[in-house]
Amino acid sequence: MNIPSDLKYTKSHEWIRVEGNVGTAGITDFAQQELGDIVFVEAPAQGSAVAAGAPMGSVESVKAVSEINAPAGGAVSAVNADLADHPELLNADPYGKGWILKITLANAGELSGLMDAAAYAAYVAESAH
Amino acid sequence: MDNLKQTPLNAEHRALGAKMVDFGGWDMPVQYTSIIDEHVAVRTRCGMFDVSHMGEIWVEGPQALDLVQFLSSNDASKLALHQIQYSGLLTPQGCFVDDMLVHKDADDRYLLVVNASNTDKDFAWILSQAKGFDARVTNASPVTAQIALQGPKSLEILQPFVTGLDLAPIKYYWYGYGTVLGERCLIARTGYTGEDGFEVYLSPQSAPALWRALLEAGKPYGLVPAGLGARDTLRLEACMALYGNDIDDTTTVLDADLGWILKLGKPGPFNGRSVLEKQKAEGTARKLVAFELTERGIPRHGFECFAGGQKVGVVTSGTQAPFLKKPLGMAYLPMSLSEVGTAFEVDIRGKKVAAKVVPKPHYKRSK
């Protein structure tokens, strides 16, 4: 399982990559493996506000629906338009081409509540039992 | 997990790295690699399913046919030797205890194949109905394994393993007996995918060896093991009903738009006859229709349907169809909204998404 060291992680299996005051977010490799073939992604509209830890959309596999939560609060500055026609990018490249949205962070301090890669790896190993 | 029942192929699934789920009390593979890949393999090549969890109930004796006729909505007297028919195992209210395949094995011997999670209920029901009939009812499920090969390459892959039975002349919904790995097996040209294929009934002891052999021999043909996830999406594209989703003990045969398995013209009483005769004469209030979404979204079991701002029905099965590549499903709608082309809405987590009734089935294989 791929858990890049430069990202922050939530307990609900989202990741965020912070560059300046903008965070790029998506779902983790573990999440996409658990879901299976992803066939639909519903992300918040560009310009809308999201709150840390609150639902901001959903990801659907053939079998199931899973809510996705915002790793950090702020304004949605971009959404990945490729996912409308190619939701399978979340399976193929969850940390790259499968990014879901970018958030202009309202409060960078919220990030300290997230897990680093080592903590997330331990969390996943634990929840797999 | 400790309380779950296992098929004789459980270790095979685990060795293949399948994702296992609790399916009606059975520990079953939902997928091996990808539901979409497994689904497409069945449509284009071949998929192999462990369906050993299905229930096999034998009805034998001088009045075997009479009992089957009393239990079943379809007319088993029309079956030729080794012919199979789809039917409803009915309540006295004309609803479904289960749906089933009726196999005529001899004039005085029938095999009923029923849903896994209903097997015990069905067996108890049939026993309760069998009083007064000179017929013996046996639940052979624990001693019967079943492997389904589904897809256009099924015949080519399976035939080399079968002696004493030429598979090619067997028509859809017919069966024969052949020898497979030294054992006499019932081999039926049936399935739950809308594709050509065979279901092999064999002993639990022989099942792992045949599974492995078919997996190996099927490789050059593109055979893959396929799980219950693909089985569900395949049957939904083909508009085959799933008990517990589309039909149950509150839906009549006519509600379910399965009038073709209701033979009111057959002689004698049978469970549900009077209710269904009345319903047939008066018409049903609702009907199980096929639909597609015309906007983005994915319909799911239990989502409500709306028209003119009113709740009018419910989605019984829905998915993003892996082969047809569109969001579709089946739903109960009032007769007035059941015509092909009728527009309605599906409530997806609070959002109304446009849908329309389409012809059944969603998918029909080209012959």
Side-chain angles (χ1 to χ4, degrees), chain B residues 230-283:
Chain B
R231 187 166 155 86
D232 186 43
T233 53
L234 286 157
R235 69 93 198 164
L236 178 51
E237 281 187 343
C239 280
M240 299 168 106
L242 172 61
Y243 191 89
N245 274 39
D246 311 299
I247 56 172
D248 59 26
D249 58 8
T250 68
T251 56
T252 73
V253 183
L254 293 169
D255 293 339
D257 195 25
L258 290 170
W260 63 276
I261 62 166
L262 174 62
K263 300 292 158 56
L264 292 169
K266 70 178 179 177
F270 65 93
N271 279 329
R273 179 194 273 278
S274 59
V275 174
L276 292 166
E277 277 174 348
K278 185 161 179 280
Q279 199 182 30
K280 175 124 189 186
E282 294 175 356

Side-chain angles (χ1 to χ4, degrees), chain B residues 91-339:
Chain B
T91 69
Q93 291 74 39
C95 298
F96 290 92
V97 176
D98 204 351
D99 59 350
M100 61 180 176
L101 292 179
V102 179
H103 301 62
K104 179 173 179 173
D105 206 52
D107 285 338
D108 59 354
R109 191 163 66 241
Y110 291 81
L111 168 65
L112 312 181
V113 177
V114 302
N115 282 297
S117 51
N118 287 340
T119 303
D120 292 344
K121 177 189 79 170
D122 293 352
F123 181 53
W125 171 253
I126 294 169
L127 282 180
S128 76
Q129 300 297 297
K131 297 187 179 91
F133 288 94
D134 187 3
R136 188 171 69 254
V137 183
T138 315
N139 180 5
S141 309
V143 292
T144 310
Q146 199 190 138
I147 294 172
L149 280 192
Q150 299 282 295
K153 298 292 181 193
S154 300
L155 173 67
E156 280 176 83
I157 295 168
L158 183 58
Q159 183 66 75
F161 290 90
V162 182
T163 52
L165 180 66
D166 189 2
L167 298 178
I170 299 176
K171 287 181 282 189
Y172 194 52
Y173 273 65
W174 289 73
Y175 71 97
Y177 285 94
T179 301
V180 179
L181 301 181
E183 180 180 309
R184 182 172 178 262
C185 295
L186 189 164
I187 303 173
R189 199 156 198 168
T190 48
Y192 195 47
T193 61
E195 221 50 65
D196 187 21
F198 296 88
E199 295 182 305
V200 182
Y201 296 75
L202 71 171
S203 71
Q205 297 79 3
S206 301
L210 181 62
W211 176 270
R212 282 182 222 143
L214 288 170
L215 205 56
E216 191 58 36
K219 268 182 193 157
Y221 297 91
L223 174 147
V224 300
L228 294 182
R231 187 166 155 86
D232 186 43
T233 53
L234 286 157
R235 69 93 198 164
L236 178 51
E237 281 187 343
C239 280
M240 299 168 106
L242 172 61
Y243 191 89
N245 274 39
D246 311 299
I247 56 172
D248 59 26
D249 58 8
T250 68
T251 56
T252 73
V253 183
L254 293 169
D255 293 339
D257 195 25
L258 290 170
W260 63 276
I261 62 166
L262 174 62
K263 300 292 158 56
L264 292 169
K266 70 178 179 177
F270 65 93
N271 279 329
R273 179 194 273 278
S274 59
V275 174
L276 292 166
E277 277 174 348
K278 185 161 179 280
Q279 199 182 30
K280 175 124 189 186
E282 294 175 356
T284 57
R286 58 177 181 166
K287 182 172 149 182
L288 188 64
V289 303
F291 71 89
E292 293 175 12
L293 295 188
T294 51
E295 293 178 330
R296 281 169 50 78
I298 300 179
R300 306 275 182 187
H301 173 73
F303 286 5
E304 294 181 337
C305 302
F306 286 80
Q310 300 293 310
K311 191 201 159 190
V312 292
V314 64
V315 173
T316 57
S317 292
T319 195
Q320 171 73 21
F323 187 74
L324 298 173
K325 295 191 167 70
K326 52 191 175 187
L328 52 74
M330 292 196 282
Y332 278 107
L333 289 179
M335 286 307 289
S336 60
L337 294 171
S338 66
E339 286 289 316

Side-chain angles (χ1 to χ4, degrees), chain A residues 33-34 37 60-63, chain B residues 19 34-36 300 349:
Chain A
Q33 280 183 27
E34 286 292 303
D37 294 316
E60 300 197 40
S61 66
V62 175
K63 287 295 280 183
Chain B
K19 187 179 288 184
S34 143
I35 292 175
I36 294 176
R300 306 275 182 187
R349 293 181 291 281

